[in-house]
Amino acid sequence: MEDEIEKHGGYGNTTTVTPHHVYNEDVQIVDEHERKDLVRGLKQRHVQMIAIAGAIGTGLFLGLGSSIATAGPLGSLLGYLFVGAIVCAVQYALAEVTALFPVTGSFVRHSEILVDPGLAFAVGWNVVYGAFMSVPSEVSAAVVLIQYWNESVNPAVWVTVLLILSVLVAVIFVGVYGEVEFFFALLKILLVIGVIILGLVIDLGGVPGKPRLGFHYWNSPGPFVEYIADGSWGRFLGFWAVLSSAVYSFSGVESLAMAAAETKNPRQNIPKACKRVFARLTIFYLLAILIVGMLVSSKDDRLNDESGTATQSPFVIAASDAGIKAIPSIVNAVVLTSAWSASNQSILAGTRTLYGLAIKGHAPKIFLRTTPYGIPYMCVALQVAFSFLSYMCVSSNALTVFWWFVDLTAAGVLISWMAIALNHIRLMQALKKQGISPDELPWHNSLTPYGSWFALVSCAILLLTGGFAVFTKGNWDPSSFVSSYLDIPLVLVVYLGYKFIRRTKFVPLEDVPVRQAIEEAQNDPENVPIKARGWQRLNILWG
């Protein structure tokens, strides 16, 4: 079997495939490279906080205002609630599959085993490209935030400083990366809690000389905003337009499983992280958007500010109106850490996905080289090379071209979520085909089979309608069209091209190595249920 798999590049490729009930114990789900070369340096608290750090950022601190302006307070709340339900389904599907296949590259490698090597190739390189382009975009955003305080220093200086720091974090032991992201996530959570409490105080009239607001702005100008059209249709379009912003805000939660092979006890820790991260993020976002809708009118022109700094934050607008002057700098500082944190997370997602592609022969073997501390340094080196695009922010013309590159993968997060849902659906179908009960899986939830179909269909609809505004009269915009749709044909061309060249086929359900993976999980000495002890029972963040 090992020779056959090596010959065809992985499970589910062409010609002969060994039946699922007969397998060689030497061929393991977690590749030998991962077992020998990578180091399990990420703990449970790291994994959970990495996902929170990735999803709490500019979308929450700066982007909620534009959502309120587009859909109104209730329209925005419903939009984020709907996307939150999709994220819940995606997270549970990811948890269930990762617990069975805890491999580097997460859902990209899962597609290789469960769906089609061609899909793994296309989605994998889409993730790599998106992550590689995200680093310079986040660094550019961080430079804008720094210039909120000081515009006299050449932007190239800040770019250099941020890149050096990012590279240091990327090449040091993965546990150091975990600690850095843990600290940043803690800062963000404290700020979210702080601004929510501050918002309640302002809303309830706790600031001297300021009246109690309550739900005043829900009454006037109203809970919904008409977008493009009039009447009920316009209010619905406002709600629908917010969904794209909500997807962007939640993007990053899927990356918590990218380094599964570098996580301690991944079969237990990653499902726990997926469940808890979804709940905490949804609560944070729903509370934040509820408070923002109570504090700022949807007609406030300041919500459409596109400065990229704290001045466009609805929390800052509310605090300024209440006469609280320290909030803008505090928000700007934490959003700055958010931008750099997102850069670090993109490095993790990009390098680990590239490493996973190299394991399966979808990328050159040179990317399998690691340091003695388990860091795939050649993957990091390629990522760093792309990071030098950050210097394009020094020139306004170059920056325009750069953002066109970034726009190419704006829809990538929906494609990734669709891949996660499809992987889980295929796993459920394989279990049924092979007569294996889902209860035998390392982790299973009875609602996941329905949730995955909901997520797959919802993400497909959002992907196809995300740029609907450009097709309405007088709203055509080339950059919006590119950011919404160009990634779809790119992924399809790569997928179909790989299938044509390599002649891959969908993995037959009876040949998915489910029984082998279950037995590996049962024999995994690290796969032991995690029990909270002492004060950990009171820890609502990562315990």
Side-chain angles (χ1 to χ4, degrees), residues 218-303:
W218 286 54
N219 294 319
S220 178
F224 291 97
V225 170
E226 294 176 351
Y227 181 70
I228 297 178
D230 298 326
S232 299
W233 180 239
R235 289 189 287 273
F236 174 78
L237 291 181
F239 155 77
W240 199 257
V242 163
L243 299 183
S244 295
S245 299
V247 168
Y248 169 76
S249 297
F250 281 108
S251 65
V253 293
E254 70 280 358
S255 64
L256 65 84
M258 281 296 183
E262 296 168 84
T263 302
K264 294 182 178 179
N265 195 357
R267 301 183 197 275
Q268 298 289 331
N269 279 328
I270 288 179
K272 278 182 175 289
C274 288
K275 290 189 298 179
R276 292 174 178 177
V277 163
F278 151 72
R280 287 156 192 165
L281 284 177
T282 303
I283 291 171
F284 285 146
Y285 270 96
L286 294 184
L287 279 177
I289 204 160
L290 176 65
I291 297 298
V292 167
M294 295 162 66
L295 293 175
V296 185
S297 169
S298 59
K299 300 297 185 182
D300 195 318
D301 292 336
R302 292 172 294 179
L303 294 178

Side-chain angles (χ1 to χ4, degrees), residues 17-30:
V17 180
T18 304
H20 72 274
H21 58 277
V22 180
Y23 59 85
N24 187 336
E25 292 183 356
D26 292 333
V27 180
Q28 299 173 316
I29 300 300
V30 180

Side-chain angles (χ1 to χ4, degrees), residues 64-65 68-69 72-77 195-205 211-223 285-300 303 314-315 317-319 321:
L64 291 187
I68 294 289
L74 182 55
S76 300
L77 188 64
V195 294
I196 288 174
I197 294 173
L198 175 66
L200 279 174
V201 171
I202 295 173
D203 183 72
L204 297 175
R212 179 181 180 276
L213 294 173
F215 283 89
H216 170 74
Y217 294 122
W218 286 54
N219 294 319
S220 178
Y285 270 96
L286 294 184
L287 279 177
I289 204 160
L290 176 65
I291 297 298
V292 167
M294 295 162 66
L295 293 175
V296 185
S297 169
S298 59
K299 300 297 185 182
D300 195 318
L303 294 178
F315 299 109
I317 293 171
D321 289 345

Side-chain angles (χ1 to χ4, degrees), residues 198-459:
L198 175 66
L200 279 174
V201 171
I202 295 173
D203 183 72
L204 297 175
V207 178
K210 300 296 178 180
R212 179 181 180 276
L213 294 173
F215 283 89
H216 170 74
Y217 294 122
W218 286 54
N219 294 319
S220 178
F224 291 97
V225 170
E226 294 176 351
Y227 181 70
I228 297 178
D230 298 326
S232 299
W233 180 239
R235 289 189 287 273
F236 174 78
L237 291 181
F239 155 77
W240 199 257
V242 163
L243 299 183
S244 295
S245 299
V247 168
Y248 169 76
S249 297
F250 281 108
S251 65
V253 293
E254 70 280 358
S255 64
L256 65 84
M258 281 296 183
E262 296 168 84
T263 302
K264 294 182 178 179
N265 195 357
R267 301 183 197 275
Q268 298 289 331
N269 279 328
I270 288 179
K272 278 182 175 289
C274 288
K275 290 189 298 179
R276 292 174 178 177
V277 163
F278 151 72
R280 287 156 192 165
L281 284 177
T282 303
I283 291 171
F284 285 146
Y285 270 96
L286 294 184
L287 279 177
I289 204 160
L290 176 65
I291 297 298
V292 167
M294 295 162 66
L295 293 175
V296 185
S297 169
S298 59
K299 300 297 185 182
D300 195 318
D301 292 336
R302 292 172 294 179
L303 294 178
N304 295 315
D305 178 21
E306 297 182 355
S307 64
T309 65
T311 55
Q312 75 178 89
S313 170
F315 299 109
V316 170
I317 293 171
S320 299
D321 289 345
I324 303 172
K325 298 180 179 179
I327 294 299
S329 287
I330 294 174
V331 171
N332 202 69
V334 176
V335 175
L336 174 59
T337 67
S338 299
W340 189 54
S341 171
S343 171
N344 291 338
Q345 190 178 54
S346 294
I347 291 176
L348 181 76
T351 54
R352 271 46 178 190
T353 303
L354 182 57
Y355 182 86
L357 289 171
I359 285 177
K360 303 308 296 183
H362 298 320
K365 294 296 182 183
I366 191 174
F367 293 115
L368 291 176
R369 296 181 182 179
T370 58
T371 67
Y373 300 102
I375 303 297
Y377 65 89
M378 291 305 298
C379 296
V380 173
L382 183 62
Q383 178 96 58
V384 171
F386 273 83
S387 299
F388 289 130
L389 289 172
S390 305
Y391 288 102
M392 295 178 76
C393 73
V394 177
S395 165
S396 58
N397 292 332
L399 188 61
T400 301
V401 176
F402 164 69
W403 283 114
W404 274 80
F405 283 117
V406 174
D407 285 343
L408 292 179
T409 55
V413 62
L414 284 171
I415 292 174
S416 294
W417 289 0
M418 289 173 65
I420 291 170
L422 180 61
N423 291 339
H424 183 263
I425 290 169
R426 291 281 295 178
L427 174 60
M428 293 296 102
Q429 292 174 341
L431 288 171
K432 184 176 181 180
K433 183 75 172 181
Q434 298 179 22
I436 301 173
S437 170
D439 294 331
E440 291 191 54
L441 296 173
W443 187 83
H444 175 65
N445 184 284
S446 58
L447 296 178
T448 50
Y450 312 102
S452 294
W453 278 108
F454 163 71
L456 181 63
V457 173
S458 298
C459 287

